[in-house]
């Protein structure tokens, strides 16, 4: 299944994508796509719904973050060897992870705002997983069975905040609007192999990132198992798994960073696409 949330920010409704790519309204079945609805029991209940009986949503409504009430937003860093090298770093011997603020979450096509004082805002197309079963010291061979679904994410990052203001990566990762996620939560039965997914990101129509999840240093299952040794992951938590080469700070001969008016277009096989316009800082727009 492809589950989604659609409608104005703060008033999203639950939806399901049919075979023709149309949104079907799930409001009469569930009140929202919440952590409780994406447990194995919740997913199984939604799967019994007669899709043809659900109302078709007309027009082209806004997509919201596919799951409401995400509890934690964890990210794996430097998980593609080529990306590590373009950043001037050796591939890590163990997974690197950090947190992105929940407040940075935004819909897949909502604007991305340059933070106040930013000079080095950057892009990162990433595969995300949403947890469906509690992960605490989960074994690697069991980890994929704890996934509720897969999502497309853009790990927008401010490199100066991340790397030039001490050692806390979180400073450059959790700015408002820096976490576009969606358009859908795609259940594992629709993803034949999460380690064989093509991914791309274009900036202003120019291909910047091309990759495949097969080239991860630490596969998805290993990432989940590793994080669960240190942090318990609950249903509804989001884990994104790193980006392939082609980010702005890796461009040669000169780095390229986001500026107002830029447009990003990114996608992953089977998980949909995102389009974001970059806008200048506006404190009033964040109220």
């Amino acid at each position: 299944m492809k589950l989604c949330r659609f409608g104005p920010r703060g008033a999203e409704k639950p939806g399901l994508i049919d075979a023709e790519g149309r949104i079907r309204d799930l409001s009469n079945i569930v009140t929202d796509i919440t952590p409780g609805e994406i447990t194995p029991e919740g997913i199984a209940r939604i799967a019994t719904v007669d899709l043809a009986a659900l109302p078709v949503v007309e027009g082209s409504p806004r997509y919201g973050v596919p799951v409401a009430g995400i509890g934690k937003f964890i990210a794996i860093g430097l998980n593609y060897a080529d990306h590590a090298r373009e950043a001037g770093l050796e591939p890590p011997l163990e997974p690197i992870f950090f947190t992105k603020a929940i407040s940075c979450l935004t819909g897949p096509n909502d604007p991305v705002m340059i933070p106040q004082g930013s000079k080095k805002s950057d892009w990162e197309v990433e595969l995300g997983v949403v947890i469906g079963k509690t992960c605490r010291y989960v074994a690697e061979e069991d980890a994929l069975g704890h996934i509720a679904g897969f999502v497309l994410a853009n790990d927008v990052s401010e490199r100066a905040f991340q790397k030039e203001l001490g050692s806390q990566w979180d400073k450059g990762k959790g700015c408002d609007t820096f976490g576009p996620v969606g358009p859908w939560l795609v259940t594992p039965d629709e993803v034949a192999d999460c380690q064989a997914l093509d991914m791309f990101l274009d900036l202003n129509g120019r291909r910047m990132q091309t990759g495949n999840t097969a080239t991860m240093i630490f596969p998805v299952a290993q990432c989940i198992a590793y994080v669960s040794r240190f942090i318990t992951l609950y249903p509804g938590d989001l884990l994104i798994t790193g980006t392939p080469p082609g980010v702005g700070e890796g461009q040669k001969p000169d780095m390229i960073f986001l500026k107002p008016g830029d447009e990003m277009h990114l996608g992953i096989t089977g998980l949909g696409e995102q389009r974001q316009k970059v806008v200048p800082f506006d404190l009033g727009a964040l109220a």
Side-chain angles (χ1 to χ4, degrees), residues 135-188:
C135 295
R136 184 182 291 115
Y137 297 99
V138 67
E140 187 173 332
E141 58 267 28
D142 298 329
L144 295 183
H146 289 67
I147 295 173
F150 298 91
V151 293
L152 168 64
N154 189 354
D155 178 19
V156 187
S157 309
E158 212 298 340
R159 303 301 185 189
F161 296 178
Q162 176 188 355
K163 298 181 177 181
E164 298 171 22
L165 301 178
S167 61
Q168 301 300 315
W169 279 21
D170 295 14
K171 294 176 185 176
K173 293 290 190 171
C175 303
D176 290 313
T177 75
F178 270 25
V181 176
W184 318 309
L185 174 75
V186 181
T187 52

Side-chain angles (χ1 to χ4, degrees), residues 6-267:
F6 64 95
R9 182 186 295 273
E12 292 93 344
K13 295 181 178 181
L16 193 100
I17 306 300
D18 67 17
E20 287 73 44
R22 300 172 299 184
I23 301 173
R24 298 280 185 153
D25 192 338
L26 270 175
S27 297
N28 291 331
I29 308 299
V30 296
T31 56
D32 206 343
I33 306 298
T34 64
E37 297 294 349
I38 59 168
T39 60
E41 297 78 16
I43 292 290
R45 186 169 57 251
I46 295 173
T48 65
V49 171
D50 180 4
L51 185 60
L54 298 176
V56 174
V57 177
E58 302 296 338
S60 301
R62 168 189 173 271
Y63 281 105
V65 178
V67 179
I70 288 173
K72 290 191 286 293
F73 191 174
I74 307 293
I76 304 295
L78 302 178
N79 198 23
Y80 290 72
D82 288 349
H83 171 55
R85 293 191 188 99
E86 75 176 353
L89 301 168
E90 288 298 314
L93 299 178
E94 294 195 25
I96 295 170
F97 68 86
F98 55 91
T99 62
K100 284 177 73 81
I102 296 300
S103 55
C104 82
L105 285 165
T106 189
N109 302 314
D110 292 343
V112 166
M113 182 182 293
I114 301 294
Q116 188 174 36
S118 169
K119 304 276 186 206
K120 297 182 179 180
S121 290
D122 205 346
W123 57 84
E124 295 188 11
V125 58
E126 303 207 12
L127 170 67
V129 298
V130 178
I131 301 300
K133 293 169 60 178
T134 298
C135 295
R136 184 182 291 115
Y137 297 99
V138 67
E140 187 173 332
E141 58 267 28
D142 298 329
L144 295 183
H146 289 67
I147 295 173
F150 298 91
V151 293
L152 168 64
N154 189 354
D155 178 19
V156 187
S157 309
E158 212 298 340
R159 303 301 185 189
F161 296 178
Q162 176 188 355
K163 298 181 177 181
E164 298 171 22
L165 301 178
S167 61
Q168 301 300 315
W169 279 21
D170 295 14
K171 294 176 185 176
K173 293 290 190 171
C175 303
D176 290 313
T177 75
F178 270 25
V181 176
W184 318 309
L185 174 75
V186 181
T187 52
D189 57 294
E190 293 205 14
V191 179
D193 183 356
C194 66
Q195 300 300 159
L197 302 177
D198 290 327
M199 52 208 309
F200 75 90
L201 185 144
D202 295 343
L203 179 68
N204 301 325
R206 174 186 169 193
R207 182 59 46 93
M208 308 302 290
Q209 289 187 276
T210 302
N212 188 286
T213 57
T215 63
M216 286 182 184
I217 300 169
F218 307 107
V220 171
Q222 187 175 357
C223 291
I224 294 171
Y226 187 86
V227 171
S228 78
R229 290 167 48 189
F230 306 96
I231 299 174
T232 299
L233 300 172
Y234 293 103
D237 286 349
L238 171 61
L239 174 69
I240 58 176
T241 56
T243 197
V247 300
E249 72 168 350
Q251 299 301 309
K252 303 291 189 296
D254 298 311
M255 298 179 184
I256 299 172
F257 295 112
L258 296 170
K259 62 185 185 305
D262 284 345
E263 294 189 6
M264 292 179 281
H265 174 210
L266 56 150

